[in-house]
PDB file of all heavy atoms in Angstrom:
ATOM      1  N   PRO A 157     -23.895-214.609  82.457  1.00  0.00           N
ATOM      2  CA  PRO A 157     -24.152-215.906  81.821  1.00  0.00           C
ATOM      3  C   PRO A 157     -23.217-216.985  82.370  1.00  0.00           C
ATOM      4  O   PRO A 157     -22.023-216.742  82.546  1.00  0.00           O
ATOM      5  CB  PRO A 157     -23.876-215.633  80.337  1.00  0.00           C
ATOM      6  CG  PRO A 157     -22.931-214.470  80.329  1.00  0.00           C
ATOM      7  CD  PRO A 157     -23.303-213.633  81.523  1.00  0.00           C
ATOM      8  N   VAL A 158     -23.784-218.150  82.654  1.00  0.00           N
ATOM      9  CA  VAL A 158     -22.970-219.267  83.147  1.00  0.00           C
ATOM     10  C   VAL A 158     -22.860-220.384  82.114  1.00  0.00           C
ATOM     11  O   VAL A 158     -21.915-221.176  82.144  1.00  0.00           O
ATOM     12  CB  VAL A 158     -23.530-219.829  84.470  1.00  0.00           C
ATOM     13  CG1 VAL A 158     -23.457-218.778  85.559  1.00  0.00           C
ATOM     14  CG2 VAL A 158     -24.952-220.320  84.308  1.00  0.00           C
ATOM     15  N   ALA A 159     -23.842-220.464  81.191  1.00  0.00           N
ATOM     16  CA  ALA A 159     -23.810-221.507  80.162  1.00  0.00           C
ATOM     17  C   ALA A 159     -24.734-221.116  79.018  1.00  0.00           C
ATOM     18  O   ALA A 159     -25.664-220.314  79.189  1.00  0.00           O
ATOM     19  CB  ALA A 159     -24.228-222.861  80.732  1.00  0.00           C
ATOM     20  N   GLU A 160     -24.471-221.692  77.840  1.00  0.00           N
ATOM     21  CA  GLU A 160     -25.289-221.445  76.658  1.00  0.00           C
ATOM     22  C   GLU A 160     -25.532-222.768  75.936  1.00  0.00           C
ATOM     23  O   GLU A 160     -24.731-223.702  76.048  1.00  0.00           O
ATOM     24  CB  GLU A 160     -24.594-220.468  75.707  1.00  0.00           C
ATOM     25  CG  GLU A 160     -24.287-219.112  76.304  1.00  0.00           C
ATOM     26  CD  GLU A 160     -23.349-218.304  75.427  1.00  0.00           C
ATOM     27  OE1 GLU A 160     -23.295-218.583  74.203  1.00  0.00           O
ATOM     28  OE2 GLU A 160     -22.665-217.411  75.959  1.00  0.00           O
ATOM     29  N   MET A 161     -26.622-222.825  75.194  1.00  0.00           N
ATOM     30  CA  MET A 161     -26.931-224.029  74.420  1.00  0.00           C
ATOM     31  C   MET A 161     -27.575-223.658  73.089  1.00  0.00           C
ATOM     32  O   MET A 161     -28.502-222.850  73.037  1.00  0.00           O
ATOM     33  CB  MET A 161     -27.875-224.949  75.192  1.00  0.00           C
ATOM     34  CG  MET A 161     -28.302-226.196  74.413  1.00  0.00           C
ATOM     35  SD  MET A 161     -29.399-227.287  75.361  1.00  0.00           S
ATOM     36  CE  MET A 161     -30.898-226.293  75.405  1.00  0.00           C
ATOM     37  N   MET A 162     -27.055-224.230  72.021  1.00  0.00           N
ATOM     38  CA  MET A 162     -27.718-224.170  70.718  1.00  0.00           C
ATOM     39  C   MET A 162     -28.457-225.480  70.535  1.00  0.00           C
ATOM     40  O   MET A 162     -27.881-226.557  70.693  1.00  0.00           O
ATOM     41  CB  MET A 162     -26.701-223.987  69.591  1.00  0.00           C
ATOM     42  CG  MET A 162     -27.339-223.871  68.192  1.00  0.00           C
ATOM     43  SD  MET A 162     -27.827-225.465  67.452  1.00  0.00           S
ATOM     44  CE  MET A 162     -26.229-226.184  67.083  1.00  0.00           C
ATOM     45  N   PHE A 163     -29.758-225.411  70.230  1.00  0.00           N
ATOM     46  CA  PHE A 163     -30.574-226.615  70.076  1.00  0.00           C
ATOM     47  C   PHE A 163     -31.293-226.566  68.739  1.00  0.00           C
ATOM     48  O   PHE A 163     -31.882-225.547  68.381  1.00  0.00           O
ATOM     49  CB  PHE A 163     -31.591-226.708  71.218  1.00  0.00           C
ATOM     50  CG  PHE A 163     -32.154-228.084  71.406  1.00  0.00           C
ATOM     51  CD1 PHE A 163     -31.396-229.076  71.995  1.00  0.00           C
ATOM     52  CD2 PHE A 163     -33.447-228.390  71.006  1.00  0.00           C
ATOM     53  CE1 PHE A 163     -31.916-230.354  72.178  1.00  0.00           C
ATOM     54  CE2 PHE A 163     -33.970-229.655  71.183  1.00  0.00           C
ATOM     55  CZ  PHE A 163     -33.204-230.644  71.765  1.00  0.00           C
ATOM     56  N   ARG A 164     -31.236-227.661  68.004  1.00  0.00           N
ATOM     57  CA  ARG A 164     -31.879-227.721  66.685  1.00  0.00           C
ATOM     58  C   ARG A 164     -32.699-229.004  66.585  1.00  0.00           C
ATOM     59  O   ARG A 164     -32.241-230.080  66.969  1.00  0.00           O
ATOM     60  CB  ARG A 164     -30.839-227.684  65.568  1.00  0.00           C
ATOM     61  CG  ARG A 164     -31.430-227.754  64.156  1.00  0.00           C
ATOM     62  CD  ARG A 164     -30.342-227.639  63.087  1.00  0.00           C
ATOM     63  NE  ARG A 164     -29.697-226.337  63.150  1.00  0.00           N
ATOM     64  CZ  ARG A 164     -28.392-226.159  63.360  1.00  0.00           C
ATOM     65  NH1 ARG A 164     -27.601-227.227  63.540  1.00  0.00           N
ATOM     66  NH2 ARG A 164     -27.874-224.954  63.391  1.00  0.00           N
ATOM     67  N   ILE A 165     -33.918-228.878  66.070  1.00  0.00           N
ATOM     68  CA  ILE A 165     -34.762-230.045  65.856  1.00  0.00           C
ATOM     69  C   ILE A 165     -35.277-230.056  64.419  1.00  0.00           C
ATOM     70  O   ILE A 165     -35.314-229.017  63.753  1.00  0.00           O
ATOM     71  CB  ILE A 165     -35.972-230.077  66.816  1.00  0.00           C
ATOM     72  CG1 ILE A 165     -36.899-228.879  66.562  1.00  0.00           C
ATOM     73  CG2 ILE A 165     -35.516-230.140  68.265  1.00  0.00           C
ATOM     74  CD1 ILE A 165     -38.198-228.948  67.322  1.00  0.00           C
ATOM     75  N   LEU A 166     -35.652-231.233  63.969  1.00  0.00           N
ATOM     76  CA  LEU A 166     -36.364-231.395  62.701  1.00  0.00           C
ATOM     77  C   LEU A 166     -37.829-231.632  63.032  1.00  0.00           C
ATOM     78  O   LEU A 166     -38.170-232.582  63.739  1.00  0.00           O
ATOM     79  CB  LEU A 166     -35.811-232.579  61.912  1.00  0.00           C
ATOM     80  CG  LEU A 166     -36.640-233.021  60.694  1.00  0.00           C
ATOM     81  CD1 LEU A 166     -36.648-231.932  59.619  1.00  0.00           C
ATOM     82  CD2 LEU A 166     -36.121-234.344  60.118  1.00  0.00           C
ATOM     83  N   LYS A 167     -38.698-230.746  62.554  1.00  0.00           N
ATOM     84  CA  LYS A 167     -40.141-230.946  62.660  1.00  0.00           C
ATOM     85  C   LYS A 167     -40.609-231.424  61.296  1.00  0.00           C
ATOM     86  O   LYS A 167     -40.525-230.703  60.303  1.00  0.00           O
ATOM     87  CB  LYS A 167     -40.836-229.635  63.038  1.00  0.00           C
ATOM     88  CG  LYS A 167     -40.623-229.208  64.474  1.00  0.00           C
ATOM     89  CD  LYS A 167     -41.417-230.074  65.447  1.00  0.00           C
ATOM     90  CE  LYS A 167     -42.899-229.789  65.335  1.00  0.00           C
ATOM     91  NZ  LYS A 167     -43.689-230.685  66.245  1.00  0.00           N
ATOM     92  N   PHE A 168     -41.100-232.664  61.237  1.00  0.00           N
ATOM     93  CA  PHE A 168     -41.405-233.257  59.939  1.00  0.00           C
ATOM     94  C   PHE A 168     -42.843-233.751  59.876  1.00  0.00           C
ATOM     95  O   PHE A 168     -43.496-233.982  60.900  1.00  0.00           O
ATOM     96  CB  PHE A 168     -40.443-234.404  59.619  1.00  0.00           C
ATOM     97  CG  PHE A 168     -40.496-235.546  60.603  1.00  0.00           C
ATOM     98  CD1 PHE A 168     -41.291-236.663  60.369  1.00  0.00           C
ATOM     99  CD2 PHE A 168     -39.744-235.503  61.763  1.00  0.00           C
ATOM    100  CE1 PHE A 168     -41.340-237.708  61.269  1.00  0.00           C
ATOM    101  CE2 PHE A 168     -39.785-236.558  62.679  1.00  0.00           C
ATOM    102  CZ  PHE A 168     -40.582-237.657  62.425  1.00  0.00           C
ATOM    103  N   ARG A 169     -43.314-233.895  58.659  1.00  0.00           N
ATOM    104  CA  ARG A 169     -44.660-234.412  58.417  1.00  0.00           C
ATOM    105  C   ARG A 169     -44.545-235.924  58.230  1.00  0.00           C
ATOM    106  O   ARG A 169     -43.992-236.393  57.233  1.00  0.00           O
ATOM    107  CB  ARG A 169     -45.263-233.758  57.178  1.00  0.00           C
ATOM    108  CG  ARG A 169     -46.703-234.185  56.891  1.00  0.00           C
ATOM    109  CD  ARG A 169     -47.255-233.357  55.734  1.00  0.00           C
ATOM    110  NE  ARG A 169     -47.493-231.967  56.131  1.00  0.00           N
ATOM    111  CZ  ARG A 169     -47.651-230.982  55.256  1.00  0.00           C
ATOM    112  NH1 ARG A 169     -47.552-231.211  53.961  1.00  0.00           N
ATOM    113  NH2 ARG A 169     -47.884-229.751  55.691  1.00  0.00           N
ATOM    114  N   PRO A 170     -45.022-236.723  59.190  1.00  0.00           N
ATOM    115  CA  PRO A 170     -44.882-238.183  59.085  1.00  0.00           C
ATOM    116  C   PRO A 170     -45.500-238.709  57.797  1.00  0.00           C
ATOM    117  O   PRO A 170     -46.531-238.223  57.339  1.00  0.00           O
ATOM    118  CB  PRO A 170     -45.635-238.705  60.316  1.00  0.00           C
ATOM    119  CG  PRO A 170     -45.616-237.564  61.280  1.00  0.00           C
ATOM    120  CD  PRO A 170     -45.704-236.324  60.432  1.00  0.00           C
ATOM    121  N   ARG A 171     -44.836-239.689  57.231  1.00  0.00           N
ATOM    122  CA  ARG A 171     -45.340-240.300  56.004  1.00  0.00           C
ATOM    123  C   ARG A 171     -46.648-241.025  56.281  1.00  0.00           C
ATOM    124  O   ARG A 171     -46.810-241.684  57.305  1.00  0.00           O
ATOM    125  CB  ARG A 171     -44.321-241.284  55.430  1.00  0.00           C
ATOM    126  CG  ARG A 171     -43.000-240.641  55.037  1.00  0.00           C
ATOM    127  CD  ARG A 171     -42.070-241.677  54.443  1.00  0.00           C
ATOM    128  NE  ARG A 171     -40.754-241.131  54.167  1.00  0.00           N
ATOM    129  CZ  ARG A 171     -40.447-240.455  53.066  1.00  0.00           C
ATOM    130  NH1 ARG A 171     -41.389-240.249  52.146  1.00  0.00           N
ATOM    131  NH2 ARG A 171     -39.238-239.990  52.875  1.00  0.00           N
ATOM    132  N   THR A 172     -47.582-240.912  55.358  1.00  0.00           N
ATOM    133  CA  THR A 172     -48.866-241.611  55.464  1.00  0.00           C
ATOM    134  C   THR A 172     -49.151-242.291  54.148  1.00  0.00           C
ATOM    135  O   THR A 172     -48.525-242.004  53.114  1.00  0.00           O
ATOM    136  CB  THR A 172     -50.015-240.631  55.790  1.00  0.00           C
ATOM    137  OG1 THR A 172     -50.065-239.606  54.778  1.00  0.00           O
ATOM    138  CG2 THR A 172     -49.785-239.971  57.154  1.00  0.00           C
ATOM    139  N   ARG A 173     -50.120-243.198  54.182  1.00  0.00           N
ATOM    140  CA  ARG A 173     -50.535-243.846  52.944  1.00  0.00           C
ATOM    141  C   ARG A 173     -51.146-242.810  52.013  1.00  0.00           C
ATOM    142  O   ARG A 173     -51.835-241.893  52.441  1.00  0.00           O
ATOM    143  CB  ARG A 173     -51.593-244.930  53.223  1.00  0.00           C
ATOM    144  CG  ARG A 173     -51.061-246.112  53.997  1.00  0.00           C
ATOM    145  CD  ARG A 173     -52.166-247.120  54.192  1.00  0.00           C
ATOM    146  NE  ARG A 173     -51.731-248.242  54.973  1.00  0.00           N
ATOM    147  CZ  ARG A 173     -51.143-249.315  54.463  1.00  0.00           C
ATOM    148  NH1 ARG A 173     -50.938-249.394  53.159  1.00  0.00           N
ATOM    149  NH2 ARG A 173     -50.774-250.310  55.247  1.00  0.00           N
ATOM    150  N   GLU A 174     -50.879-242.967  50.719  1.00  0.00           N
ATOM    151  CA  GLU A 174     -51.458-242.054  49.750  1.00  0.00           C
ATOM    152  C   GLU A 174     -52.969-242.230  49.717  1.00  0.00           C
ATOM    153  O   GLU A 174     -53.491-243.344  49.780  1.00  0.00           O
ATOM    154  CB  GLU A 174     -50.880-242.323  48.348  1.00  0.00           C
ATOM    155  CG  GLU A 174     -49.401-241.970  48.234  1.00  0.00           C
ATOM    156  CD  GLU A 174     -48.923-242.139  46.815  1.00  0.00           C
ATOM    157  OE1 GLU A 174     -49.772-242.490  45.951  1.00  0.00           O
ATOM    158  OE2 GLU A 174     -47.733-241.928  46.561  1.00  0.00           O
ATOM    159  N   ARG A 175     -53.647-241.111  49.623  1.00  0.00           N
ATOM    160  CA  ARG A 175     -55.099-241.169  49.543  1.00  0.00           C
ATOM    161  C   ARG A 175     -55.522-241.630  48.155  1.00  0.00           C
ATOM    162  O   ARG A 175     -54.909-241.262  47.152  1.00  0.00           O
ATOM    163  CB  ARG A 175     -55.695-239.785  49.814  1.00  0.00           C
ATOM    164  CG  ARG A 175     -55.468-239.307  51.230  1.00  0.00           C
ATOM    165  CD  ARG A 175     -56.189-238.010  51.442  1.00  0.00           C
ATOM    166  NE  ARG A 175     -56.063-237.570  52.826  1.00  0.00           N
ATOM    167  CZ  ARG A 175     -56.666-236.503  53.312  1.00  0.00           C
ATOM    168  NH1 ARG A 175     -57.424-235.755  52.530  1.00  0.00           N
ATOM    169  NH2 ARG A 175     -56.505-236.161  54.580  1.00  0.00           N
TER     170      ARG A 175
END
Side-chain angles (χ1 to χ4, degrees):
V158 296
E160 301 168 23
M161 177 179 70
M162 182 280 289
F163 199 75
R164 180 177 296 121
I165 64 172
L166 169 66
K167 287 287 289 177
F168 61 95
R169 183 174 289 163
R171 298 182 185 277
T172 57
R173 293 181 183 273
E174 292 185 2
R175 294 185 176 184

